[in-house]
Amino acid sequence: MAGRQWSAQWIWGGEEVSPRNEWRCFRKTFYVPEGGENGARLHISADSRYVLFVNGERAGRGPVRSWPAEQFYDTYDIGHLLKPGRTNAIAVLVLHFGVANFYYIRGRGGLLAELEGGGRTGTLAATDGSWRTSRLAAQDPRSPRMSCQQGFADIYDARKWDERWTEADYDDADWPLANIVGPVGSGPWKKLVPRDIPFLTEETVYPSRVASLQAVKPPRWAAALDVRNGMLPDSANHADRVKYAGFLATVLTMRESGKLTLGFPNGRVSSVWVDGRLCGGWYGDQPERYCDLELAAGDHFVLIDVSGGDHGGSFHIAADSASPFVLRSPAAAAAGNDTPFAIVGPFHYTIDIDHQGVEPLDLEQPDYVRAKGIKHERDLESFREWVRPLPGGMYSEDDVFGSNVWRTAAVSYAVPPELDRCVQASPEPAVVPRFDGMDTELVIDFGKEWSGFIGFEAEAPEGTVIDLYGLEYMKDDYRQHTYGLDNTIRYICRGGRQQYISPVRRGFRYLVVTIRRASAPVRLHRVFVNQSAYPVAQNGYFRSSDALLNDIWEISRHTTLLCMEDTFVDCPSYEQVFWVGDSRNEALVNYYVFGALDIVKRCLNLVPGSGEMTPLYVDQVPSAWNSVIPNWTFFWVTACAEYAAHTGDRAFAARIWPAVRHTLTHYLRHIGERGLLDIKGWNLLDWAPIDQPNDGIVTHQNMFLAKALRDAAGLAAAAGVPQEAAPLAERADALRKAIDGQLWDEERQAYLDCIHADGRRSATFSMQTQVVAYLCDIAEGKRKERLEGYLVAPPASFVQIGSPFMSFFYYEALVRSGQYDRMIADIRHSYGMMIENGATTCWEMYPNFSENRANPNQLTRSHCHAWSAAPGYFLGAVVLGIRRLDDGWKRAAVAPEPCGLQWARGAVPLPQGGRIEVSWRIDGGRMELHVSAPDDVELDIRIPDGLSGSVTRSATRPSPLAAAAGMTP
């Protein structure tokens, strides 16, 4: 498929090459002769995402995330959807972002599709100038950015669109013809490659209950703005963090004097002046900010300082008053402005690229300082060169997020039993209560976290607004709002019964459904999510005599599943980004829980595509953010070696080796005069307050580089170039000696965190650095013994571990030192705390790493984060005792560590097919151990020290597909 010849051409429509947030529809009708449906296959790709329909049936979504130089395409068997002897239709909805983010490089709008008929039929349809296209008029392209990492939220007005557009008999005669972009190889898509993983699942999941019912009121006015791209229009082409000095300006007209509350539901504002007076008395739980103002009737000039760092996403602002008011654009920017705001600035700006150095923002720029004194819109005349309208495409008053965060009134009611019908598989709908002068809000609990495409079916009067807002955590009256993520949908109803499924992926547990502007009762038939993930079977499992450990293993499994999309992703809600370093640990968990291989190989192969941005490789790919976390690249090297060893895939090792060698060669150029890695970058390991400056010698980074060099030496041998291994091993040993000689503090008997760029030695000592030192074999002799003591009894004066991600390395160190009971105790404590607080997935952070958290109810940021799923790996590797001893699992150990348990059983899938199953029970100091495995796996089975017992083994035949799949070394 990689070398197939295309007759299709890339096409697009409309006047803009890369429009912002455009949903565009394409159609082609064609005749299918008898027999032409047999074996028919459709090949398709798009920029940025597509939803495919064949004769009205949804047939697929895609493409997988790509570097533009290697654009992936999908192939579908669609013969069963075609109707021979009749006119058929292919319809494609293309979502074009038009802005770069953390999983998309901005290209241009485009669709490519080609349908091959069965037998000798030939090409039935191929994109060209005969296809029809129309912008999806129901979708509002002004909808808010979800976050800096992602695309856009939905605003959908069903009154403006005919949902039958995907069907063969739809009349598209008034749709314009598509524009031809060019043949395959043109545009930004230089090379087309076939999809390298299976299609994702799509399974309908229904909620568990209606958690609450309230009558609510939003503020009188709320809006979401894209200040970043309004301030710096060219920033749509990259996702780097920017800083700017500048303002938003508007004129607020009070029809009569009265009190007005100005609010910023996501809190990102420096200061506000009204008629030249600095607003004070701000209140509200952080990061929200609110201020009460007493304003006279008439015009008031409002100047909002938005200076600071901005990675993207929406700026939310709202106002509420019993007195009528309006906002308009200041006169200096009013001409042609269809928003009430003007941009004033930027007076200075910078673009931060961490590994190239970060320029400070100049907040002393004279014109910026002078602008703070503006009292009236006429004063903007002296700043005319800095003033321009905020573009209409970057402003929306359909601000679902702001209206959910700031509810000016909320009255709770008991949930009537009849309302539960909307969460049941019942033909009877739930009739949603109405409240005079207020909106109706339901909080629907899906029972646990899910990730996919939210949908609902309702019967409603025309013009009814249905808002949906996904949350991850609630407790009593506390809602953890997704600050920094606009996880919302606004749907405006046409009259009658209707269904909507958002084409935008979201992660959530609780769905806040608010019915607004309903002129008659709304009947809610169902609410659901089409759960979507990488296709896996439940090949691994774990059960034991400890119910808490069983629950912990289950949330680890579920977290890993939700974070397996077309790559591993950090979390299904806030980001959906493939973070390179996270995926090393996620891959190990996946090996033990699911055994999926293609997703791991795909992730590893994507990383070198960032080489055009930097030879150090960026920390999230494919991404338009040029950011480097050196450790993340080192973890990638280790993950490449681990994949080659896990699978025995020497061909992979040979293919990936040049890219590994390339980046390590460039990292070694940053070894300074001390013989240590001295580098600018985002020098991160843990969220805890360890001393890890973005310039200088960071100890844990040097240690992980030493380990990566040793792992790379092993990979070189597997790649068939053993002569390249020895120099790497020598560099690793030299680095180890430099670390041990210069970064050990004799007085504290520990490794310090760093040496700053100015030569200052860190006064911070952390458990993170000691764990990494032990794990990376830096210390020897008494120093190693000292570190082993720290693993068991962490000194209180050291910075403690702040994230489950760091706990993964801690558990690796404990396993190496034989401290199995200590590891299980830590899992019970750290993950048991999550279970106690209702977790159904693993948290991103522990709540105790920061003592000054503004809201004690906020236990973590993301409540579903796969870098935290360590127990899914360690319970199988330690309690079951299943570990690989040789490449490709030709030899394996089964050496259980009971850790105080009475019994345990479970399985670990093998890369060549089949699995190793273990079941053990202890009774009176005797272990009965049963092991089942394919008979071509050599097993080293051991009863734990101090126990007697017996071992029974049963064998299965090797997988008949193993050799064909290339999994047998």
Side-chain angles (χ1 to χ4, degrees):
M1 294 298 294
R4 75 176 311 275
Q5 298 298 311
W6 293 79
S7 60
Q9 300 185 83
W10 286 97
I11 60 173
W12 193 240
E15 298 180 357
E16 293 186 65
V17 169
S18 181
R20 175 187 173 91
N21 187 27
E22 180 165 292
W23 295 8
R24 178 160 287 277
C25 300
F26 295 85
R27 279 178 49 87
K28 177 67 177 178
T29 56
F30 53 93
Y31 178 78
V32 178
E34 294 291 339
E37 78 280 9
N38 296 325
R41 297 196 302 172
L42 177 71
H43 313 289
I44 183 171
S45 189
D47 189 330
S48 308
R49 301 289 186 264
Y50 72 80
V51 184
L52 168 67
F53 301 88
V54 178
N55 291 328
E57 296 287 333
R58 188 175 68 250
R61 305 178 190 269
V64 295
R65 60 193 82 193
S66 312
W67 293 106
E70 273 198 340
Q71 176 79 13
F72 286 93
Y73 70 89
D74 298 325
T75 297
Y76 295 92
D77 294 321
I78 64 166
H80 64 293
L81 297 175
L82 298 177
K83 299 176 181 178
R86 296 174 57 181
T87 297
N88 290 252
I90 294 172
V92 185
L93 170 61
V94 177
L95 283 66
H96 182 70
F97 297 143
V99 296
N101 59 36
F102 288 20
Y103 52 57
Y104 169 72
I105 315 297
R106 188 182 187 189
R108 58 151 300 154
L111 170 68
L112 181 80
E114 186 168 321
L115 175 59
E116 297 175 339
R120 298 183 179 180
T121 306
T123 300
L124 292 173
T127 45
D128 58 19
S130 68
W131 283 54
R132 297 282 182 175
T133 183
S134 172
R135 190 185 74 78
L136 202 163
Q139 181 259 349
D140 190 339
R142 298 171 300 176
S143 66
R145 274 289 296 272
M146 290 180 69
S147 66
C148 60
Q149 295 91 349
Q150 301 192 55
F152 294 85
D154 310 25
I155 301 175
Y156 193 93
D157 190 339
R159 300 171 296 182
K160 299 180 179 180
W161 192 245
D162 188 342
E163 297 297 335
R164 299 172 299 169
W165 74 275
T166 63
E167 298 173 5
D169 59 356
Y170 176 79
D171 184 3
D172 59 13
D174 60 344
W175 286 24
L177 295 172
N179 303 321
I180 295 176
V181 176
V184 168
S186 59
W189 321 286
K190 301 306 179 188
K191 180 181 178 183
L192 280 172
V193 292
R195 184 187 185 102
D196 54 355
I197 56 171
F199 289 105
L200 304 187
T201 63
E202 194 154 332
E203 174 185 3
T204 300
V205 174
Y206 290 94
S208 60
R209 67 189 180 112
V210 177
S212 70
L213 168 66
Q214 289 189 326
V216 298
K217 264 191 176 181
R220 182 184 288 264
W221 169 83
L225 291 63
D226 185 346
V227 178
R228 169 194 160 104
N229 287 322
M231 191 73 69
L232 299 171
D234 288 344
S235 65
N237 296 315
H238 66 81
D240 298 324
R241 186 172 184 266
V242 301
K243 297 196 293 280
Y244 47 76
F247 306 89
L248 288 170
T250 187
V251 176
L252 187 154
T253 302
M254 297 288 291
R255 300 288 171 79
E256 56 190 52
S257 62
K259 174 185 171 183
L260 180 138
T261 301
L262 186 64
F264 297 90
N266 68 345
R268 200 186 67 77
V269 62
S270 299
S271 50
V272 178
W273 291 266
V274 177
D275 299 330
R277 296 189 302 274
L278 182 65
C279 294
W282 293 96
Y283 61 90
D285 294 334
Q286 290 295 323
E288 301 168 45
R289 298 189 70 193
Y290 303 94
C291 182
D292 294 330
L293 305 171
E294 289 291 341
L295 299 176
D299 290 349
H300 300 275
F301 181 73
V302 181
L303 188 69
I304 304 167
D305 193 337
V306 292
S307 302
D310 191 344
H311 225 148
S314 294
F315 179 92
H316 296 272
I317 180 173
D320 190 65
S321 177
S323 303
F325 65 90
V326 295
L327 287 87
R328 64 170 175 80
S329 179
N337 191 4
D338 58 354
T339 78
F341 286 96
I343 295 286
V344 185
F347 299 94
H348 181 246
Y349 73 91
T350 66
I351 300 175
D352 293 351
I353 300 179
D354 45 39
H355 56 95
Q356 297 178 7
V358 176
E359 180 186 352
L361 180 65
D362 182 8
L363 294 178
E364 302 300 323
Q365 200 275 348
D367 291 308
Y368 165 72
V369 174
R370 184 168 59 92
K372 294 181 181 181
I374 296 175
K375 297 181 179 180
H376 193 276
E377 60 180 310
R378 61 175 173 267
D379 298 334
L380 287 175
E381 289 298 323
S382 62
F383 294 89
R384 178 166 288 277
E385 63 179 296
W386 307 104
V387 178
R388 63 186 184 281
L390 175 72
M394 300 179 188
Y395 174 84
S396 174
E397 293 186 5
D398 289 293
D399 185 12
V400 181
F401 178 84
S403 297
N404 269 274
V405 173
W406 184 12
R407 300 175 304 162
T408 60
V411 181
S412 296
Y413 292 87
V415 178
E418 293 79 6
L419 203 53
D420 288 332
R421 291 173 182 166
C422 69
V423 302
Q424 299 167 348
S426 167
E428 296 181 279
V431 180
V432 180
R434 289 193 300 157
F435 302 99
D436 290 341
M438 300 181 78
D439 301 324
T440 303
E441 177 198 275
L442 314 178
V443 175
I444 296 178
D445 182 3
F446 276 73
K448 56 184 176 179
E449 186 102 7
W450 297 104
S451 174
F453 306 96
I454 294 172
F456 65 87
E457 186 174 358
E459 186 176 356
E462 181 178 347
T464 300
V465 173
I466 301 177
D467 285 347
L468 302 104
Y469 169 37
L471 300 172
E472 289 192 299
Y473 181 72
M474 296 176 60
K475 184 177 181 181
D476 300 327
D477 293 332
Y478 170 72
R479 300 180 181 185
Q480 184 174 326
H481 292 296
T482 57
Y483 302 113
L485 169 66
D486 195 312
N487 208 24
T488 67
I489 299 168
R490 170 158 287 182
Y491 180 88
I492 300 123
C493 298
R494 62 181 180 275
R497 187 159 173 170
Q498 54 213 285
Q499 176 175 287
Y500 181 71
I501 302 176
S502 171
V504 178
R505 175 184 289 274
R506 289 175 174 83
F508 68 102
R509 172 176 173 173
Y510 299 94
L511 190 63
V512 183
V513 180
T514 309
I515 310 296
R516 308 186 196 273
R517 306 176 201 163
S519 59
V522 171
R523 290 173 171 82
L524 195 55
H525 288 264
R526 61 183 183 135
V527 181
F528 60 92
V529 59
N530 280 356
Q531 162 63 31
S532 175
Y534 189 88
V536 293
Q538 307 301 319
N539 287 316
Y541 70 93
F542 175 86
R543 298 290 292 176
S544 75
S545 56
D546 187 332
L548 178 58
L549 288 181
N550 298 340
D551 287 345
I552 290 170
W553 187 90
E554 173 56 27
I555 69 169
S556 301
R557 183 203 65 82
H558 191 57
T559 301
T560 305
L561 175 65
L562 296 191
C563 295
M564 294 171 70
E565 299 176 12
D566 58 345
T567 61
F568 290 109
V569 297
D570 60 334
C571 55
S573 55
Y574 286 90
E575 302 191 30
Q576 301 176 19
V577 172
F578 167 36
W579 285 91
V580 174
D582 303 25
S583 69
R584 180 264 171 172
N585 295 0
E586 292 158 0
L588 293 179
V589 177
N590 156 65
Y591 292 154
Y592 269 61
V593 173
F594 300 121
L597 299 178
D598 285 349
I599 187 174
V600 181
K601 184 161 64 172
R602 166 172 165 73
C603 288
L604 298 174
N605 286 334
L606 277 173
V607 174
S610 67
E612 292 187 2
M613 301 169 74
T614 169
L616 305 177
Y617 298 161
V618 300
D619 43 41
Q620 15 78 66
V621 296
S623 173
W625 181 22
N626 190 350
S627 172
V628 170
I629 304 176
N631 277 336
W632 269 224
T633 305
F634 305 154
F635 297 157
W636 171 75
V637 173
T638 293
C640 288
E642 289 172 338
Y643 177 83
H646 177 74
T647 61
D649 190 344
R650 294 178 179 271
F652 166 80
R655 286 193 304 270
I656 206 71
W657 170 247
V660 171
R661 178 182 58 208
H662 176 77
T663 195
L664 288 177
T665 297
H666 283 83
Y667 271 102
L668 289 172
R669 292 175 183 173
H670 291 272
I671 299 293
E673 296 178 354
R674 298 172 180 262
L676 295 166
L677 180 70
D678 188 340
I679 193 170
K680 290 183 175 69
W682 183 9
N683 297 334
L684 173 72
L685 177 60
D686 192 10
W687 293 125
I690 60 179
D691 199 353
Q692 47 188 4
N694 290 338
D695 191 4
I697 297 168
V698 177
T699 305
H700 59 66
Q701 221 157 247
N702 275 268
M703 294 168 172
F704 274 125
L705 175 56
K707 184 179 188 304
L709 290 167
R710 288 195 295 269
D711 291 337
L715 185 66
V721 285
Q723 68 277 10
E724 298 190 40
L728 294 172
E730 291 171 2
R731 295 299 297 268
D733 190 56
L735 184 56
R736 187 203 69 78
K737 291 177 180 176
I739 295 168
D740 203 37
Q742 300 184 57
L743 298 175
W744 176 265
D745 186 281
E746 192 65 29
E747 181 181 351
R748 295 293 298 273
Q749 288 290 289
Y751 292 95
L752 61 126
D753 276 358
C754 71
I755 299 176
H756 290 266
D758 60 5
R760 176 172 48 89
R761 291 173 67 85
S762 175
T764 302
F765 293 82
S766 66
M767 275 303 297
Q768 288 82 347
T769 298
Q770 315 319 310
V771 165
V772 176
Y774 185 83
L775 185 61
C776 295
D777 293 318
I778 303 301
E780 297 176 336
K782 292 189 178 300
R783 290 185 182 180
K784 184 176 181 179
E785 293 176 6
R786 175 72 67 174
L787 295 182
E788 288 177 337
Y790 294 156
L791 295 178
V792 178
S797 61
F798 287 6
V799 175
Q800 301 300 303
I801 289 172
S803 68
F805 178 65
M806 186 63 219
S807 290
F808 197 107
F809 303 108
Y810 179 45
Y811 298 157
E812 284 187 291
L814 288 172
V815 169
R816 286 180 63 123
S817 65
Q819 300 294 336
Y820 308 114
D821 289 339
R822 179 72 179 85
M823 184 198 74
I824 294 299
D826 192 272
I827 288 175
R828 284 195 183 103
H829 169 74
S830 298
Y831 288 83
M833 173 178 54
M834 300 180 196
I835 297 292
E836 184 180 349
N837 282 277
T840 63
T841 44
C842 302
W843 300 349
E844 178 181 6
M845 297 178 290
Y846 297 133
N848 60 348
F849 85 99
S850 175
E851 298 298 330
N852 59 355
R853 188 177 296 280
N855 192 327
N857 289 312
Q858 183 174 334
L859 302 173
T860 183
R861 174 183 175 254
S862 168
H863 283 257
C864 180
H865 211 286
W867 81 350
S868 304
Y873 170 71
F874 287 99
L875 291 176
V878 173
V879 175
L880 299 180
I882 304 172
R883 302 182 204 172
R884 177 179 54 81
L885 294 179
D886 205 350
D887 288 359
W889 287 81
K890 291 180 292 184
R891 293 192 307 120
V894 176
E897 295 294 339
C899 300
L901 300 174
Q902 294 177 326
W903 60 267
R905 62 177 180 268
V908 171
L910 296 171
Q912 64 268 38
R915 58 188 184 179
I916 298 175
E917 296 188 74
V918 170
S919 175
W920 60 258
R921 177 178 290 274
I922 298 173
D923 187 5
R926 179 179 175 82
M927 172 179 280
E928 299 294 334
L929 174 60
H930 178 77
V931 182
S932 174
D935 59 12
D936 63 341
V937 178
E938 180 183 340
L939 293 181
D940 180 3
I941 304 175
R942 299 181 184 181
I943 297 289
D945 292 342
L947 294 176
S948 62
S950 63
V951 175
T952 58
R953 173 179 176 174
S954 59
T956 58
R957 293 289 184 90
S959 168
L961 301 179
M967 298 310 302
T968 301

